[in-house]
Amino acid sequence: MPATSKATHDQSHARVFDLDVMSLRELNQALHNLTPGSNETAWEVLNPKGNHSVAVGVDQPITIDVRGSVGYYCGGMNDGATITVHGSAGPGVGENMMSGSIIIKGDASQYAGATGKGGLLVIEGNASSRCGISMKGIDIVVRGNIGHMSAFMAQSGNLVVLGDAGDALGDSIYEARLFVRGNVDSLGADCIAKEMRPEHLELLQGLLDRAGVTGIKPTEFKRYGSARTLYNFNIDNADAY
């Protein structure tokens, strides 16, 4: 390797970036420089120490293992990579994600998966408020609890929660599907409990399988979604607007 480069390749052929000796800009630039067919398919990031915007904008089907906790917007705009954070994540993990997967081994802060358009986000701990806000097709599986205002204005996709949900779940929701195994503190405007039909049980089982969840049955969950009463302006309710 040239003397100017502090990135290394170990015997398992993963490219290793130590953020104690390299900059975050160098890491993200190296990831953005990848082209289809590159043989650099495995990456490892050491000493992230809460850095913001780790591995944002990756658009190749590679694996990235981040050995520690990260700050804001880790994996933002991910399009095809499999990113595993061996720690916790700050606000906005997987924001505007398009495809691929992100696995958080610890907890996630606010608005995890915000505006996500596709892919799978798995949070093995708890997620804070506004998890899945304005989600647009992403699948989110949270093994723990989620905070208030989660799935606010969620448009499409699936949010699966094995624990409890905070206040105002699904406020102003569109057509996203919410599955909660535990208690829900309260439902937001236009969000109601819905029938769990066979197709929903099948869908949920598939999501649990993809997230590596075992020993939990889809029948243990309740489904929530839109009552569809906010879609159109009704002149009879003009005084309420």
Side-chain angles (χ1 to χ4, degrees):
M1 297 291 291
T4 56
S5 175
K6 295 187 179 72
T8 62
H9 290 77
D10 65 15
Q11 295 301 311
S12 63
H13 67 74
R15 187 170 181 184
V16 180
F17 264 81
D18 187 342
L19 293 182
D20 268 353
V21 295
M22 298 194 72
S23 72
L24 179 64
R25 182 181 293 273
E26 288 175 290
L27 167 64
N28 284 335
Q29 188 62 63
L31 292 169
H32 296 166
N33 286 344
L34 290 172
T35 56
S38 171
N39 61 2
E40 292 184 311
T41 58
W43 294 65
E44 188 170 16
V45 180
L46 307 180
N47 298 306
K49 295 181 178 178
N51 266 291
H52 304 319
S53 302
V54 172
V56 295
V58 182
D59 62 359
Q60 297 300 321
I62 62 174
T63 62
I64 304 171
D65 283 281
V66 182
R67 304 292 179 180
S69 295
V70 293
Y72 286 70
Y73 301 122
C74 176
M77 300 178 288
N78 182 40
D79 193 8
T82 298
I83 302 171
T84 303
V85 176
H86 299 268
S88 294
V93 61
E95 183 266 345
N96 206 34
M97 180 174 166
M98 290 172 274
S99 67
S101 61
I102 299 176
I103 302 98
I104 307 301
K105 293 294 187 179
D107 299 322
S109 190
Q110 302 175 85
Y111 39 91
T115 73
K117 294 178 174 59
L120 174 67
L121 171 62
V122 179
I123 299 165
E124 297 194 352
N126 301 309
S128 187
S129 61
R130 297 173 176 83
C131 179
I133 184 173
S134 194
M135 52 193 285
K136 297 177 174 68
I138 189 173
D139 293 322
I140 303 174
V141 178
V142 181
R143 287 178 177 258
N145 307 316
I146 59 173
H148 66 272
M149 293 293 289
S150 290
F152 172 62
M153 293 188 71
Q155 297 173 34
S156 64
N158 302 285
L159 172 60
V160 180
V161 182
L162 275 66
D164 301 328
D167 285 322
L169 176 68
D171 190 89
S172 303
I173 190 172
Y174 288 83
E175 291 303 307
R177 291 173 292 264
L178 315 180
F179 302 96
V180 182
R181 182 168 174 255
N183 297 317
V184 176
D185 284 348
S186 67
L187 296 175
D190 209 42
C191 185
I192 59 172
K194 291 196 158 188
E195 178 189 5
M196 185 77 92
R197 299 194 296 270
E199 62 265 31
H200 301 122
L201 294 172
E202 182 179 358
L203 169 67
L204 180 52
Q205 184 64 66
L207 291 167
L208 293 172
D209 290 345
R210 287 172 59 202
V213 176
T214 59
I216 304 295
K217 298 178 180 178
T219 52
E220 298 175 29
F221 291 77
K222 293 181 180 178
R223 181 171 74 99
Y224 303 90
S226 176
R228 303 189 177 109
T229 60
L230 297 182
Y231 278 8
N232 301 291
F233 177 81
N234 188 328
I235 191 62
D236 294 334
N237 298 325
D239 289 341
Y241 291 91

